[in-house]
Amino acid sequence: MIHVTMRRSILIVVCAILAGPVPPIAALELSPFVQIGPRDAGGGVLLDYGSRCTRTQTGILVTRHLRSDEFPVGAAVSVRQAFTLPSVHLFEAGLTVEADFFDPDAGLLVLPSAAADIGVRIPPFQRVTTFTLGYRYGFAEYEERHDGSGYHVRRVGRSTARPLVVRLIVEW
Amino acid sequence: MNRVVGPTIGVALIVCICAGCTLDPVPVGSGEMLIEISVGDEWLHDYPILGPISRPNPPTFAVWMTASADPLDFVGTVFVTAKMGNASWIRADDGRPEALPVWSLARGGQPTSSSPAPDGVTGATPVDDSAYVVSWDSPPAEVYVWLEINHSVDYTAAYPDGAGPGTSGYSGGPGGSGQPALIYCAGVDTTVPGASRTMQLTGHSEPGDIGVGTVYDDLAGIDSALRIINHATVQVGGNE
């Protein structure tokens, strides 16, 4: 019989989205130079609940869209499910779903996203600090208005994002 | 039990989010006009970064309206991509006159960093299909909608990299246009509810400079630029 020890802890997470835009919030036009650097960054507190093999991390992150003038700050509800092979517990695989909320001029914008990542518990802080590198897909539908001289324009669109995501998770 | 429930919920949420990635039809009411751009195979063009490394780059484009079939008979801009509208080019302080020359002339000059296009018609380049709804205080009977679209550095044999000013195929020099901007147009009668037109390719803009607003209908030497968009349509709101 296998005894599974359940544990609960609080995690401090710092994350950055690299090499990928979140259009229209920070879409790139690359002409003539590509701009490489952090696109979005965020941090917050997650509650961790898990056993030897799985961990569920749930919480709220404050996010900043670094290249956006329009929607610079938001909040994200994040749920990450991590899986670990007990025999090689240095590594873990994670699946994350997030809903990122912003309040632009046009009203509340929600950016749902899903991510898959690989995490490494960094020695000598094994079981304390986890570094993850993952791939995220997100999309948002948006609408903006412009009142011109005698005419009005309403723009409607869908934006998608497929950036790399880096996270540093510290177990408290 | 928790080892089963947790992963199941995670996977279910991911499936739900991905399944929702479709854009509903854009509602357009009476007295409004819907402009839709459907992206083509070349919407994202590989832009060289360093050596063999490149990344997909969306095009620069502008949508504007005129009162007649003359692209310079300007009524107003519907949308222009941010780099062009804000003149925020990185390697060209004076702008890119070859990027969207006809739209620039129609509006009275290329936007500058000190005099950008209005923020309300400027935005980040869509990476997928996009839609724009126009309404008027006093609708004109007829309106022409124009789309000028261009990729940077999409060189071909007819518009080669390294062509100098004054030579055949010059397209703006380093980091320039390559194939010139293409012009699409559709005219609609706004008094006919439900009227719909597909925007037709009418030609290309001046290859290497702002020019005088000439639209050249000879498309020789233009290849991948023809596939930047799949199609673009203009539709008058209301029932037929």
Side-chain angles (χ1 to χ4, degrees), chain B residues 43-61:
Chain B
W43 184 261
L44 299 177
H45 174 76
D46 283 342
Y47 189 92
I49 299 171
L50 182 66
I53 304 172
S54 63
R55 67 155 294 162
N57 184 33
T60 293
F61 70 91

Side-chain angles (χ1 to χ4, degrees), chain B residues 78-136:
Chain B
V78 174
F79 179 74
V80 60
T81 49
K83 278 283 188 290
M84 188 75 201
N86 298 328
S88 53
W89 308 101
I90 295 172
R91 237 173 97 183
D93 293 338
D94 297 330
R96 285 283 178 183
E98 76 282 4
L100 302 175
V102 176
W103 171 77
S104 297
L105 282 169
R107 70 180 296 277
Q110 191 172 5
T112 63
S113 55
S114 60
S115 179
D119 183 63
V121 297
T122 306
T125 308
V127 293
D128 211 325
D129 298 350
S130 57
Y132 313 88
V133 177
V134 179
S135 57
W136 294 272

Side-chain angles (χ1 to χ4, degrees), chain B residues 201-212:
Chain B
L201 177 62
T202 59
H204 69 80
S205 310
E206 196 75 28
D209 206 344
I210 195 165
V212 293

Side-chain angles (χ1 to χ4, degrees), chain B residues 218-236:
Chain B
D218 179 7
L219 297 175
I222 297 177
D223 181 15
S224 60
L226 299 170
R227 300 185 295 278
I228 296 176
I229 68 166
N230 185 325
H231 64 274
T233 58
V234 181
Q235 180 188 345
V236 178

Side-chain angles (χ1 to χ4, degrees), chain B residues 156-171:
Chain B
T156 63
Y159 299 97
D161 186 10
T167 63
S168 174
Y170 174 67
S171 62

